Amino acid sequence: MHYSAYHSVDVINGEGTRCTLFVSGCEHACKGCYNQSTWRVDSGHVFTQALEDQIIADLTDTRISRRGLSLSGGDPLHPANVETILHLVKRVKRECPDKDIWLWSGYQLDELSEAQHAVVALVDVLIDGKFEQENADPALLWRGSSNQIIHRFTRE
C-alpha cells in the first residue's frame, strides 16, 4: 500500500485531536475531488512497518492526547489497500482499545465486498459515498457532499 500523507496531530478529519493517514488509490475519480494526487495506487510513499509503529506510538502518546485514527485518501477500501488497512485497524483495536477509528470511502456500505466489510466491522465511524460536485456543501460536517452518509456504529 502507498500513502500520500500522515498527520500525527489533526483536528479537522473527525472529532477531537487525531492521527490521520491519507492512503493512495481511488477508482472513483469524482469530479471536483480535492485530492486527485491520491488516485493512483502507487502515488506517494510506501506504507512501512516503521510508519505503522509510529501511528501506534502517536496514538498512545500521553503528551498529546489523541481521540483516534482517521483513514482517508484516496480510498482506504480500495482493493489494493484493504489487506493493509485491515491489519492496521486490527492492531489499533488491539493496542489502543480506547481510541476510535474513522474511515472515509467512496464505496457505499451496501455495496462493500466481504474483505471491505471486514475492515468496516472494526471502525467506529464510516463516511461513505462518492463526492458529488453538484451536491457539494462546505457547511457540511465531516463530508463534502450531501449524498455522503455518516454511519456511527456502536459495538459491544
Side-chain angles (χ1 to χ4, degrees):
M1 181 178 85
H2 283 71
Y3 71 100
S4 65
Y6 170 63
H7 302 292
S8 62
V9 178
D10 182 4
V11 295
I12 296 171
N13 294 290
E15 294 170 340
T17 303
R18 318 185 61 74
C19 297
T20 300
L21 178 67
F22 292 91
V23 303
S24 298
C26 185
E27 59 188 9
H28 306 298
C30 301
K31 182 180 178 184
C33 174
Y34 75 94
N35 217 355
Q36 292 182 23
S37 64
T38 67
W39 288 1
R40 286 190 17 238
V41 295
D42 62 350
S43 65
H45 318 280
V46 174
F47 184 79
T48 63
Q49 184 65 49
L51 180 56
E52 180 181 311
D53 293 344
Q54 185 62 56
I55 292 169
I56 298 299
D58 291 338
L59 286 170
T60 58
D61 182 357
T62 57
R63 295 170 299 154
I64 302 173
S65 178
R66 278 98 165 173
R67 181 167 174 172
L69 174 66
S70 292
L71 299 167
S72 191
D75 196 322
L77 295 182
H78 185 285
N81 298 331
V82 169
E83 183 178 345
T84 303
I85 292 296
L86 179 59
H87 174 81
L88 177 61
V89 297
K90 282 181 176 180
R91 185 171 176 201
V92 170
K93 287 298 182 184
R94 183 176 62 249
E95 296 183 32
C96 312
D98 60 326
K99 306 300 180 185
D100 63 13
I101 300 173
W102 286 47
L103 188 147
W104 281 258
S105 178
Y107 301 100
Q108 292 180 318
L109 185 59
D110 63 356
E111 65 183 15
L112 298 180
S113 70
E114 186 176 327
Q116 291 168 323
H117 270 293
V119 172
V120 171
L122 296 169
V123 304
D124 301 283
V125 178
L126 169 69
I127 295 89
D128 76 348
K130 297 174 187 173
F131 172 75
E132 295 177 353
Q133 192 168 26
E134 62 276 10
N135 292 317
D137 182 350
L140 293 171
L141 194 57
W142 317 128
R143 55 202 176 120
S145 57
S146 60
N147 63 293
Q148 295 171 312
I149 299 171
I150 300 171
H151 302 273
R152 292 181 181 267
F153 304 111
T154 55
R155 299 192 171 90
E156 298 300 316

